[in-house]
Structures are given as C-alpha cells and as structure tokens.
Amino acid sequence: MSEITTPFEHEHLSVVTGRRSGLVIAVAVHSTVLGPALGGCRVWNYPSWQDAVDDALRLSQGMTFKNALAGLDAGGGKAVIHLPIDERLEDERRRAAFLDLGDLVEQLGGRYRTAEDVGVTSADMAVVAEQTAHVVGLPPETGGHGDPARHTAHGVYAAIRETLRRMDGSGAVAGRRMTIAGLGHVGSSLAEQLAAEGAVLTVCDVNPERRELAERLGAAWVEPAEAHRVEADVFIPAGVGGMLSPTVIEELAARAVVGPANNQLLRPDGAEQLAARGIVYAPDFLVNAGGVIFLDAPVDLPRARLDARLDGIADTLRSVFDVAEREGATTVEAASRIVAERLARARTDVHV
C-alpha cells in the first residue's frame, strides 16, 4: 500500500467515499491567504486512494503558487477523484461522482472553487453546479467560461516568446525548433499556433491517432520516449507530470524547457540539474497559468483585457528570470521567493 509523501502544509483536507459513486474523492485546500482557493478537479487512475490524496495535496500546493504568481486574489486548492487502475468513469457513475464532488465542495462553504482539470469537462462541472455554486468553467451555453485550454495555450505561447527573448534577444518563433511532448487540448492548440508562425515542430503523443495532427501541420513525429533527445530550441512538456526525470534532464537536447504540464520535475532538485546544464527552465506553475486566469476572470470580460492578462505571464516570467540572475538562484527558487513575498504581504495586511 502506498504512503502519502507530500508534507502536510495545508489548511484543510477532506477525503470521502462518495455516497452515490462509491469512489474516493479528496479535496485539499492549501491556502486561502489571498482569497478562496481555486483549482480544478482531476479524474485519474491511481494504484491506491492514498496516491490520489497525495496528488491532491501536491497539486493544491502548486495552485497556491500558480494563483499567486498570476496575480489572482485566490488561494490554492485541488480535487481528485480516484479511479482504480484500468477502470473508466462513464455514464451514470460519472454523473454520480460529480454530484458527490458537488456535495463535498458545498460543505466547504466557499473556501474552495472547483473547475475542470485532467479527465474532466465543462459538462461535468455543470453536474457539480447542481449541488453547489462554488464552481467555474461551466459550459458557455449555461453562461459559463467553457474549456480553458485555448487560454492556457495563449499563456504558454507568451512564456515561450519571453524565454526566446531572454536567450537570443528576439521572441520570434519562425524557424525555431520546438518539440511538443503531448497533444492534448493545450498541446494541440499550441502546435497549431506555432506551426502557423513558422516554427519547426517535432511532436509526440501516447495516442497514435494524434499523428494525423502532426501530418496536417507538417510536424515531425517521434515516439514519446525519444522526444527529449531531439535537438530543439524549446522542449514543451504538455502531457503528464514528472516527465523531467534525472535521466531525461541528462539526455535533454533542448536549450530551454517551457510547457503547460503540471509538476514537470520528477525530483525537487531537477531545477538545479537543468541550470547546471545551462538549460533555461520556465517554471510550469507560471507557464500554465493562462487557464486559471481565464476561469477567474468575469465571463463578460472584453477579449482585449483578457488577452492582456494572459500576456502578463511573460512580464512575470521576465521578473523571475531577473531575480534568478540577480540572486544566483534557480528559476523555481526565484518564483517561490516572489510567491512567498506576496503571501507575506497579504498576511501582514490581514493583521494590520
């Protein structure tokens, strides 16, 4: 049986067995210092329910960092629905699971707002909304935000340009070699935009059907295990977390890593290993903040103002690079210091 390994630095953790679905559901609230926690719900196959809880703890902590760096008045939280290995969540049991999640979110009284994440859709959020108002990312036809993937990709694109500018003085992507590892909603949207602007793309995905997209875009296709060995200006992790293992980092043939996948570093010292190899790393919890920026904004926010907020990811990344260079720190350490300073100011303001 697996053990929970994430340090418990959280304000709240709820773990229940859904009364309708029979599935273990965890909601972790890491921090509400900046405001009610905001973070999506993930449906995933885990070896044990303890692994699911561990993931909720780890991801909710990441949401505190993401929301703080994005400038949101929101804390960090996450929900996880545990599926045993090889099980699928479909039909009536799927509806039951999200009704159960709605009950759990409602019990928290507004301390946590949920949304879609891996394995979850806006239609699932509509089911959650039957039980609680503390949910975002509802379908557009019900007056909600809809799928945030395109906006997440917008923020990644802004971060890629800023990283290129930091390395070479120009943010232009035409002619730059980009490797995208993962062609889900965000990876596919990003691939289409980069291809349209003349980037030289190499792509991969665990689903071989995604090869059709590669052919349509004129991108080279490689197997997932080989993607990090392709020479590139930017390696873009866009799949599951933990992709950057010590071995992968040692073999990585890219000058920079900028991608939307959560928790890309398999080990905490991965940032140091990247820096030692001279590889520029844009912290994932900043790069992928476009989706949460979109979900936190008013539904009727004008497109130009939303785009300006998404483009602000580049400005924050520039500050992270500056702090890292000035203080001789990794970019993860620099980003963490910026977050810590913002949280400290918020705590001071509360006690004034």
Side-chain angles (χ1 to χ4, degrees), residues 11 24 30 32 47 49 55 70 77-78 92 100 127-128 146 163-165 174 183 243 257 272 307 314 342 346 352:
E11 294 180 9
V24 174
H30 179 256
T32 58
W49 65 266
D55 212 16
K78 206 76 174 184
E92 287 305 312
D100 290 338
V127 177
V128 175
T163 303
L164 291 172
R165 190 176 295 111
L183 292 176
M243 184 178 297
V257 176
E272 286 86 351
D307 286 349
R342 186 175 180 214
V352 168

Side-chain angles (χ1 to χ4, degrees), residues 4 8 10-15 26-29 53 56-57 78 108 111:
I4 294 172
F8 191 83
H10 297 64
E11 294 180 9
H12 181 86
L13 173 66
S14 292
V15 184
V27 171
V29 175
V53 173
L57 293 171
K78 206 76 174 184
L108 293 177
R111 292 178 66 189

Side-chain angles (χ1 to χ4, degrees), residues 112-124:
Y112 166 66
R113 289 180 293 159
T114 195
E116 62 261 47
D117 191 44
V118 175
V120 180
T121 69
S122 59
D124 296 322

